[in-house]
Amino acid sequence: MNKQTFQTQLKNELEHLRAEGVTSPHVLHNVLTDTIMKNLSGNWKESKKNHLAKRRACYFSMEFLIGRSVYNNLLCLGIYKETEKIFSECGFSLADLEATEDAALGNGGLGRLAACFLDSAATLNLPLDGYGIRYKYGLFKQKIENGFQTEEADNWTKYGDSWSVRHDEDAVEISFSDQKVLAVPYDIPVIGYELDNIGTLRLWQSEAFEDFDFKLFNDQKYIEANRERILAEDISRVLYPNDDTRDGKKLRLKQQYFFCSASLNDIIKKHKRVHGDIKTLCDYVTIQLNDTHPVISVPELIRLLTVNEGMTYDEAFAQAKKIFNYTNHTIMPEALEKWDVDLIRELLPEIYNIIFMINENFMADMYKSDIKPENIEKMKIIKGSQVHMANMATYCSSYVNGVAQIHTEILKASTLHEWYEVYPERFQNKTNGITQRRWLALCNQELSELITELLGSSSWVTDLSELRKLTSYADDSAVISRFLDIKKTKKKQLADFILNREGISIDADSIFDIQIKRLHEYKRQLLNAFSILYIYFGIKDGSIKNFTPTTFLFGAKSAPGYRRAKAIIKFINEIAAMIEKDDEVNSLIKVVFVSNYNVSYAEKLIAAAEVSEQISTAGTEASGTGNMKLMANGAVTLGTLDGANIEIVEEAGAENNYIFGATVEELEKIMPEYSSRKLAASNEKIRRVIETLVDGTFSDGGSGDFRELYTSLLDGASWHTPDNYYLLGDLESYVEAKLRCNSDYRDSAAFGRKMWLNMCNSGKFSSDRTIADYAENIWKIK
């Protein structure tokens, strides 16, 4: 875009607003966005044309956790400083736009990864476009009331959505057995860093064909008059609606089919327009399935190619196997998506018939290859009364990948072992990554300026491996001092933000120990809470001395129907309140659970963090990406040998991080004989901590949820063994590592050196590296 033209137009618009006395950040945001969109429209149109002209990749995901777009887009366009100056000259502040949209169209790492991937592909000038759902409310807004999580709708488009462009001409009719809706696309530009290339994220919104029945309204049947509109809009109303009833499951299946069918129709339409011959579709299009949510695409593509395009079933199936690739994000069998046969048959009868045929193909292939019957039984797509989506994805894809070295090895050795034995050539590893544009250059501009100064250029913004050159400064006391000063600045900024937003005062001179991620039992926020109690009791009884003051910061949202996760949030807040009232300890320990953790909050927390809590049970976290963001900003990792933590330690050195806990191999031997009750009975300190759940120390508001947590750890439940994530077993190893880290912090120069070396060795974890690997070895795009 022509920067001078943009600056002139923006200044004129802002001066007009100033003359009219307009100060609303939402109006300012929309004026800025509209000006940008006008100036990049030509490049965007040309980029779309270029993507379609050659082989391209399409990324199908239920989530795209975009976050706030405005600052990142200014950075990538190379106009951040100029825009900041123009705002200031016109009497406004660019920082005021923090009050605007934060598109929470994802739940956590899965959706943020998808957003990072699109950013990297645009910056690498690769033809990758995203397809998903334009949720009206996205993920909920979280409030903490009396220590409990409460939820309210997040109407992120309330003041408009000027980054999106609606395309009615590309609307698609989607049919279910009980309903027909219109899928209307909205395109969002994904701007390559200081490049002309602009990728596209196409999000589908569900609408009714007739959204208002005037006759019914005139007959005073007001609700019935809007019924079709309400039911249609429900499909794209919220991310992951509660599915503990059949209606909830039906809505989730509708969501998945809705966006997959619309996206495939769009891809076919564009391919035919540009290339003509539908039989060359697999030569020009490859589709990455981000987890199992979009796997319904496989039978839907076959249906579209047979019913609409006249292919035989065998031709369509051959196309599908060449087009699709599958990224697995979990090794836990219970998390691998399954759909009841009768639900698919009821809602999508044609799709079920095709799934049945795919299963028959699979059976024939396996018996021809003399695969053991017991293995075939494990691998079947239709098994009993359920369709196993991971099995269908693995069978019908060209490639299957894990997202960290250990995760991929576990897939091959356990979760998808039988598949690996049959198709070893399909399996690849693609360790996740994060975009350094948002997660370092943007969120930590002070550190970015130091990096650029020391390297002599800003080339690291598109090649994060350049940071390794800075390892030579690890023993330069002047550089480490400047680095620590920057960290202190970011800590003060975070402390001010938390005071303003949460009304909580934290000490910027304390250690900032941060655990920020989706709330789930396997991520073990409860273990962190137990460790804080363990240390608290140790300080009280004198067994722990010389404890360096620490602020323990948590950020997480629980799924609204996830009872245990919500109980853990309440438990953490009870601990925070107890310590705050205890004058013997509150100068040493502060616990803060921030509310409504999202992308923009993460940018502040990550830049300020000194200790990165990555404490999932070994063998449960596929990769993690928060660990990479925190590492790139100079935090040390306090964690288990799980997911990408292993590779972080390989890159930065075990001596510069704090690793604890049982390994995957050790847990295989421990868990069959493990008794959490025996451990608690024989260890007074562990028992003292866990009994706070039931001894009246804390209140769960009469819900009984703390007692349920207690019994789940000691007695288990119908669906799991006692302490199945090994919290109590890892607790003392964890506390020892935490105290060692706490003690080491007192030598600021030595600890600063550890932090510096983590930042310097974070280059591997750029999503640019990940996407270049996908492009070359899976997608075959240039």
Side-chain angles (χ1 to χ4, degrees):
M1 59 190 287
N2 186 304
K3 290 185 181 181
Q4 190 57 53
T5 302
F6 161 76
Q7 290 174 41
T8 300
Q9 291 175 350
L10 178 62
K11 194 164 187 176
N12 289 340
E13 293 286 351
L14 292 180
E15 285 176 343
H16 177 70
L17 290 181
R18 181 174 62 179
E20 293 194 346
V22 176
T23 60
S24 163
H26 303 289
V27 174
L28 292 170
H29 173 266
N30 289 344
V31 163
L32 172 58
T33 305
D34 289 345
T35 307
I36 291 171
M37 292 290 275
K38 285 175 194 171
N39 281 273
L40 61 75
S41 61
N43 273 356
W44 193 10
K45 185 176 181 180
E46 189 64 23
S47 293
K48 285 184 176 183
K49 182 179 176 183
N50 291 339
H51 283 205
L52 290 172
K54 52 190 172 183
R55 181 173 172 84
R56 69 173 178 137
C58 300
Y59 201 83
F60 281 24
S61 180
M62 283 289 286
E63 302 182 34
F64 285 93
L65 188 49
I66 307 165
R68 185 177 295 123
S69 296
V70 60
Y71 298 130
N72 193 69
N73 285 346
L74 290 173
L75 175 80
C76 289
L77 288 165
I79 54 174
Y80 190 101
K81 296 293 184 185
E82 294 88 339
T83 303
E84 193 172 47
K85 183 181 177 184
I86 292 169
F87 264 66
S88 178
E89 288 172 350
C90 294
F92 302 113
S93 171
L94 192 60
D96 291 343
L97 303 192
E98 287 198 17
T100 62
E101 51 81 36
D102 202 316
L105 304 182
N107 185 35
L110 185 83
R112 187 52 237 171
L113 179 75
C116 283
F117 279 1
L118 294 185
D119 174 283
S120 285
T123 296
L124 293 171
N125 206 15
L126 290 167
L128 174 70
D129 298 303
Y131 284 95
I133 297 177
R134 187 176 188 262
Y135 302 102
K136 180 172 178 59
Y137 296 108
L139 198 61
F140 57 86
K141 279 187 177 178
Q142 178 198 57
K143 288 188 175 180
I144 304 297
E145 297 180 350
N146 192 29
F148 291 99
Q149 169 181 295
T150 60
E151 306 90 22
E152 61 181 40
D154 181 9
N155 188 1
W156 65 280
T157 61
K158 180 178 179 180
Y159 297 100
D161 175 24
S162 45
W163 289 115
S164 294
V165 178
R166 181 180 171 109
H167 287 276
D168 287 287
E169 72 279 9
D170 288 338
V172 179
E173 180 182 316
I174 307 295
S175 297
F176 305 98
S177 61
D178 62 349
Q179 184 183 21
K180 286 186 179 181
V181 299
L182 201 61
V184 181
Y186 285 73
D187 287 355
I188 299 173
V190 183
I191 300 166
Y193 181 77
E194 298 192 346
L195 285 179
D196 288 339
N197 183 44
I198 300 173
T200 298
L201 171 57
R202 172 156 281 197
L203 300 177
W204 299 95
Q205 179 169 290
S206 182
E207 299 180 4
F209 280 90
E210 296 293 336
D211 64 4
F212 182 72
D213 190 317
F214 188 81
K215 183 178 184 304
L216 285 172
F217 190 85
N218 204 42
D219 291 340
Q220 300 168 61
K221 297 177 180 178
Y222 304 124
I223 294 175
E224 291 90 333
N226 289 281
R227 184 174 183 275
E228 291 305 311
R229 177 179 60 81
I230 293 167
L231 291 176
E233 291 178 2
D234 279 348
I235 292 173
S236 59
R237 199 176 300 279
V238 297
L239 171 68
Y240 299 144
N242 196 347
D243 64 349
D244 58 4
T245 66
R246 185 175 177 82
D247 283 344
K249 289 180 174 64
K250 184 184 288 190
L251 181 55
R252 280 216 191 183
L253 181 57
K254 281 187 173 184
Q255 285 187 328
Q256 293 182 7
Y257 180 76
F258 163 80
F259 103 84
C260 291
S261 179
S263 303
L264 291 168
N265 271 281
D266 189 63
I267 287 167
I268 290 170
K269 171 185 169 183
K270 288 174 178 173
H271 174 79
K272 288 169 67 178
R273 188 180 73 225
V274 175
H275 301 290
D277 186 359
I278 191 61
K279 291 186 178 180
T280 63
L281 183 66
C282 61
D283 298 326
Y284 287 96
V285 173
T286 181
I287 296 172
Q288 193 69 34
L289 303 172
N290 191 28
D291 215 349
T292 51
H293 309 123
V295 174
I296 201 77
S297 296
V298 174
E300 173 62 2
L301 177 62
I302 294 170
R303 186 190 72 83
L304 292 172
L305 293 179
T306 52
V307 174
N308 294 354
E309 305 301 331
M311 283 191 188
T312 66
Y313 169 81
D314 288 341
E315 288 173 331
F317 184 51
Q319 286 271 334
K321 288 199 291 184
K322 290 178 181 177
I323 287 170
F324 289 110
N325 310 288
Y326 163 51
T327 299
N328 174 282
H329 284 277
T330 182
I331 58 174
M332 293 185 281
E334 66 272 18
L336 295 173
E337 198 169 35
K338 308 168 191 71
W339 287 107
D340 290 344
V341 163
D342 62 347
L343 183 62
I344 299 178
R345 191 184 280 157
E346 173 195 333
L347 202 62
L348 303 163
E350 287 182 276
I351 292 300
Y352 179 74
N353 290 338
I354 294 169
I355 293 172
F356 181 85
M357 290 299 298
I358 293 171
N359 190 62
E360 288 301 301
N361 274 88
F362 159 76
M363 298 288 282
D365 283 350
M366 295 304 104
Y367 277 101
K368 283 178 192 173
S369 301
D370 291 324
I371 304 302
K372 295 176 184 177
E374 59 268 29
N375 286 358
I376 295 175
E377 186 61 31
K378 292 178 183 177
M379 299 163 70
K380 282 166 66 175
I381 294 161
I382 301 174
K383 199 185 312 183
S385 61
Q386 291 187 313
V387 175
H388 291 244
M389 305 306 277
N391 285 351
M392 181 157 63
T394 307
Y395 177 56
C396 297
S397 292
S398 291
Y399 297 101
V400 176
N401 71 278
V403 291
Q405 287 173 3
I406 186 176
H407 171 232
T408 301
E409 291 308 310
I410 293 173
L411 288 180
K412 294 192 290 189
S414 178
T415 312
L416 299 176
H417 174 65
E418 292 77 18
W419 288 103
Y420 178 65
E421 285 190 324
V422 178
Y423 301 117
E425 72 285 354
R426 291 188 184 181
F427 284 74
Q428 295 188 15
N429 177 59
K430 297 288 173 279
T431 297
N432 283 344
I434 54 102
T435 167
Q436 65 267 31
R437 266 78 61 190
R438 182 182 287 269
W439 296 111
L440 183 51
L442 180 64
C443 77
N444 202 336
Q445 294 183 31
E446 297 89 343
L447 180 55
S448 299
E449 288 171 4
L450 176 61
I451 292 168
T452 297
E453 175 193 327
L454 295 176
L455 286 174
S457 81
S458 60
S459 59
W460 63 272
V461 181
T462 53
D463 181 5
L464 198 60
S465 66
E466 286 283 296
L467 295 191
R468 197 178 291 275
K469 295 176 182 177
L470 299 177
T471 56
S472 60
Y473 291 100
D475 296 310
D476 186 322
S477 59
V479 169
I480 297 301
S481 178
R482 290 177 66 190
F483 170 63
L484 292 175
D485 285 345
I486 289 167
K487 183 62 74 173
K488 182 68 176 293
T489 297
K490 302 312 288 186
K491 290 170 69 178
K492 286 180 177 176
Q493 290 172 2
L494 176 62
D496 290 344
F497 184 80
I498 288 174
L499 180 61
N500 182 58
R501 177 151 167 174
E502 314 283 353
I504 298 172
S505 176
I506 62 176
D507 179 8
D509 289 323
S510 65
I511 302 173
F512 278 17
D513 179 303
I514 295 183
Q515 187 178 20
I516 41 175
K517 51 186 76 249
R518 182 168 52 91
L519 207 307
H520 197 287
E521 288 166 87
Y522 83 85
K523 294 179 184 287
R524 301 203 297 189
Q525 285 94 343
L526 184 57
L527 174 63
N528 195 349
F530 282 165
S531 78
I532 295 168
L533 278 176
Y534 191 109
I535 293 167
Y536 169 79
F537 288 131
I539 293 171
K540 295 283 284 184
D541 67 21
S543 60
I544 295 175
K545 296 178 169 48
N546 302 317
F547 186 79
T548 308
T550 302
T551 299
F552 296 100
L553 288 152
F554 293 82
K557 289 181 179 179
S558 162
Y562 192 171
R563 180 182 174 189
R564 282 188 188 168
K566 296 180 91 168
I568 291 166
I569 292 174
K570 172 62 173 172
F571 185 63
I572 292 167
N573 282 307
E574 286 289 298
I575 294 169
M578 178 188 73
I579 293 174
E580 185 65 21
K581 293 173 185 174
D582 189 333
D583 291 337
E584 285 185 54
V585 182
N586 61 19
S587 62
L588 298 175
I589 298 176
K590 181 88 171 184
V591 179
V592 179
F593 195 105
V594 303
S595 62
N596 202 39
Y597 172 64
N598 57 18
V599 173
S600 296
Y601 219 142
E603 290 170 7
K604 294 175 174 59
L605 287 157
I606 285 165
E610 293 167 300
V611 180
S612 163
E613 295 271 0
Q614 307 298 330
I615 61 175
S616 53
T617 315
T620 59
E621 184 73 82
S623 170
T625 51
N627 46 5
M628 302 169 186
K629 297 162 192 166
L630 288 153
M631 178 196 193
N633 281 270
V636 300
T637 295
L638 171 59
T640 53
L641 289 174
D642 192 32
N645 294 353
I646 295 171
E647 294 165 69
I648 285 173
V649 170
E650 287 173 354
E651 294 296 305
E655 70 278 9
N656 296 313
N657 292 285
Y658 297 86
I659 299 301
F660 73 92
T663 64
V664 170
E665 295 77 14
E666 288 167 345
L667 285 170
E668 287 175 357
K669 297 173 184 176
I670 290 169
M671 292 308 287
E673 305 296 326
Y674 172 58
S675 169
S676 54
R677 272 211 173 269
K678 184 176 180 180
L679 175 61
S682 61
N683 189 310
E684 182 184 343
K685 291 184 177 181
I686 291 177
R687 187 169 67 254
R688 179 170 56 178
V689 166
I690 191 174
E691 284 183 350
T692 61
L693 285 164
V694 293
D695 66 5
T697 302
F698 302 120
S699 169
D700 62 8
S703 66
D705 288 346
F706 287 179
R707 182 173 296 278
E708 200 278 332
L709 281 177
Y710 178 83
T711 56
S712 76
L713 291 168
L714 296 184
D715 300 326
S718 60
W719 65 94
H720 70 78
T721 56
D723 192 17
N724 56 322
Y725 293 118
Y726 203 57
L727 274 73
L728 304 188
D730 269 348
L731 178 55
E732 292 204 317
S733 171
Y734 178 38
V735 170
E736 186 278 326
K738 208 162 202 169
L739 291 176
R740 183 159 43 89
C741 177
N742 184 273
S743 176
D744 287 353
Y745 186 85
R746 289 199 287 273
D747 185 342
S748 61
F751 200 83
R753 184 179 189 276
K754 292 174 187 281
M755 295 166 69
W756 179 261
L757 287 171
N758 270 278
M759 181 205 74
C760 293
N761 289 287
S762 63
K764 175 181 179 177
F765 303 107
S766 169
S767 49
D768 297 353
R769 184 265 315 153
T770 316
I771 283 298
D773 194 353
Y774 273 104
E776 180 179 357
N777 295 306
I778 291 184
W779 301 333
K780 320 295 185 187
I781 60 172
K782 296 179 181 179

